[in-house]
Amino acid sequence: ATKYEALKLQFDEACQTQTVQEFIKTVTAKNVRSYVTYFFLARAYDFVGQPDKAYEHYILAMQLISPKDTNAGDIVHEAYLL
């Protein structure tokens, strides 16, 4: 699985089990600075009702993303739905 698919799976599971705060802690603790990480942190902050932090992380994701990335289209689309 790609990093995107792996994190999406973890995020979806966290949403279903109401453990999104733990997801945020885990992902933040790994301290991986990638557009995929920032994107899922943004979605997580959005989910827990912290739109300012979500927005901040969407911006970071947009700054790092490359059009060559296979998930770029999905991520940009999702970010602009906000």
Side-chain angles (χ1 to χ4, degrees), residues 32-77:
V32 177
R33 300 182 197 294
S34 78
Y35 74 91
V36 174
T37 306
Y38 288 138
F39 174 69
F40 282 104
L41 280 172
R43 290 191 61 193
Y45 281 120
D46 208 27
F47 188 88
V48 297
Q50 295 184 20
D52 291 350
K53 280 199 167 205
Y55 179 74
E56 190 182 306
H57 284 80
Y58 277 123
I59 296 295
L60 290 167
M62 293 301 112
Q63 288 171 344
L64 293 176
I65 202 166
S66 159
K68 293 184 190 108
D69 293 319
T70 50
N71 302 108
D74 295 341
I75 289 175
V76 172
H77 177 75

